[in-house]
């Protein structure tokens, strides 16, 4: 049994693998006579980005041992969203079938993308509506490779049944790999740097499910920035990088949304968010009353990094305590934002405000989130202060649970083909912390936009 484990690990630690049927090393093969892609001017930059990805991977903190039997280490259920291996289309650059029928699966044993050398490859990402939720327990906030301690699965055990490309994977309580039935766990099997037509780099993650000693790459996700649905990404021979051992990627947090019970401003006064139905009018910062196009609810784990962020009454001018998901963006106005980022009105994620004026996470076993979609990305008034409506970007759409995503696509067909534009520039967590630090040195705070006192206008609201 140990020999089997050793062979599997040794195969996956090869940085390059000979192409089938040849004695050539894939990483040393050249690409003669192939026309330059339309983004050829970005190849040098792309090479630098690929090298930077590798350096960043090497700089990531070493992962400590996960939870084991008898351990008191906290464990949280995480959910990521993947595109199944069969839903991703891979062709040779300029068209034509690849020599391998399952490159995503074959990359378990090495850089199968490079085995198509000298052909560059085009990888087409499906629409967000095709994403599959994959839930597992986790102790450190990272999806990693080989979460094993000897013959014991120490982390990332599957927690919810899931069917991927016709195969159903069912969790169980087992942790010892040679037992029957064997434990079922999720892994980060490999990572590949791809580029879009403009030369922007994306880090694609091959996600696998292991049952005992059998590992299958079931699909892909992305680390960090998500490509828009339908994007064609390019694997460029000699430029794109591949990592197949010891991979570790941060797990994306929950979709931006309101916790049930939040009061939303309407022309008829504040209303609980869960009572608002499509067609109901809600107040917006820029356009006045607007009708909801869709509203939906989903239940999610409310522990660890997924715990809602609680903004105490008055912390940002809010009339009551406001609870939102960690990535929910709030409106801030600041002359220092203009100085640092070129815009005096910006959107910031709630998680970036933790520590300011008593703002903190509020863990709960389950959080019921409510999503409000308008025809455009708008600033609503939640507990009296401005924050965002649902933004239908790839990351947010992929993070919706299956039922909510299906309902949204039924109500709004063709949503993937009409990209939504952010209402205002959005700052990252680090950029927000920089802005807050700049205010702190001056003894000031950024401002929020507050709702005016309500007055009844027009017909009564539509209730759910």
């Amino acid at each position: 049994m140990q020999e089997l484990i050793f062979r599997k690990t040794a195969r996956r630690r090869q940085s390059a693998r000979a192409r089938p049927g040849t004695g050539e090393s894939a990483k040393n093969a050249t690409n003669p006579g192939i026309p330059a892609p339309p983004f050829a001017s970005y190849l040098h930059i792309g090479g630098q980005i690929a090298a930077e990805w590798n350096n960043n991977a090497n700089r990531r903190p070493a992962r400590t041992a996960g939870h084991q039997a008898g351990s008191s280490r906290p464990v949280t259920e995480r959910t990521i969203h993947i595109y199944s291996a069969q839903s991703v289309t891979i062709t040779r650059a300029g068209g034509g079938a690849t020599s391998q029928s399952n490159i995503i699966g074959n990359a378990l044993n090495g850089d199968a993308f490079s085995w198509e050398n000298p052909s560059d490859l085009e990888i087409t990402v499906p629409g967000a509506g095709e994403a599959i939720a994959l839930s597992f327990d986790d102790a450190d906030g990272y999806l990693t490779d080989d979460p094993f301690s000897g013959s014991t699965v120490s982390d990332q055990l599957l927690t919810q049944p899931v069917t991927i490309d016709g195969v159903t994977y069912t969790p169980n309580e087992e942790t010892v790999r040679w037992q029957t039935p064997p434990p079922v766990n999720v892994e980060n099997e490999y990572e590949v740097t791809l580029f879009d037509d403009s030369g922007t780099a994306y880090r694609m993650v091959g996600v696998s499910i292991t049952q005992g000693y059998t590992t299958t790459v079931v699909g892909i996700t992305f680390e960090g920035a998500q490509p828009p649905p339908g994007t064609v990404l390019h694997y460029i021979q000699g430029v794109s990088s591949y990592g197949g051992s010891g991979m570790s990627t941060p797990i994306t947090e929950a979709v931006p949304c309101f916790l049930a019970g939040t009061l939303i401003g309407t022309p008829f006064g504040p209303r609980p968010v869960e009572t608002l139905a499509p067609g109901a009018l809600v107040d917006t910062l820029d356009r006045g009353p607007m009708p909801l196009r869709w509203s939906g609810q989903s239940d999610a784990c409310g522990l660890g990094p997924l715990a809602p962020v609680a903004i105490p009454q008055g912390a940002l001018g809010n009339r009551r305590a406001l609870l939102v998901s960690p990535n929910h963006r709030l409106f801030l106005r600041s002359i220092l934002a203009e100085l640092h980022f070129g815009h005096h009105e910006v959107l910031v994620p709630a998680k970036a405000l933790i520590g300011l004026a008593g703002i903190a996470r509020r863990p709960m076993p389950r959080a019921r989130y409510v999503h409000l979609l308008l025809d455009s990305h708008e600033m609503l008034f939640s507990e009296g202060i401005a924050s965002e409506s649902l933004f239908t970007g790839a990351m947010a759409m992929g993070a919706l649970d299956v039922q909510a995503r299906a309902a949204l696509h039924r109500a709004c067909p063709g949503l993937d083909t009409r990209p939504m534009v952010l209402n205002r520039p959005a700052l990252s967590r680090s950029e927000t912390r920089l802005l807050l630090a700049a205010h702190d040195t001056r003894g000031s705070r950024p401002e929020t936009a507050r709702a005016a006192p309500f007055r009844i206008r027009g017909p009564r609201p539509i209730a759910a």
Side-chain angles (χ1 to χ4, degrees), residues 308-361:
V309 174
I311 302 170
Q313 179 181 3
L316 298 177
N318 41 309
R319 296 167 181 163
R320 301 193 317 163
L322 171 63
L323 277 79
V324 294
S325 63
N327 286 335
H328 191 86
R329 288 176 285 226
L330 297 105
F331 171 97
L332 291 183
R333 182 184 291 119
S334 163
I335 189 63
L336 296 181
E338 175 80 34
L339 176 65
H340 287 282
F341 307 109
H343 301 274
H344 74 286
E345 294 181 347
V346 294
L347 306 180
V348 301
K351 64 186 178 185
L353 301 177
I354 291 173
L356 174 70
I359 298 174
R361 292 189 186 270

Side-chain angles (χ1 to χ4, degrees), residues 14 125 159 174 247 253 267 277 283 299 309 315 320 392 399 407 417 441:
Q14 295 175 352
V125 180
T159 57
E174 190 53 66
M247 294 294 101
E253 295 182 337
D283 287 332
D299 292 329
V309 174
R320 301 193 317 163
T392 56
T417 64
T441 60

Side-chain angles (χ1 to χ4, degrees), residues 396-420:
M397 293 293 289
L400 289 173
D401 66 30
V402 174
Q403 292 80 9
R405 192 166 61 249
L408 175 55
H409 280 273
R410 285 195 300 270
C412 309
L415 195 63
D416 289 346
T417 64
R418 297 190 297 273
M420 189 173 276

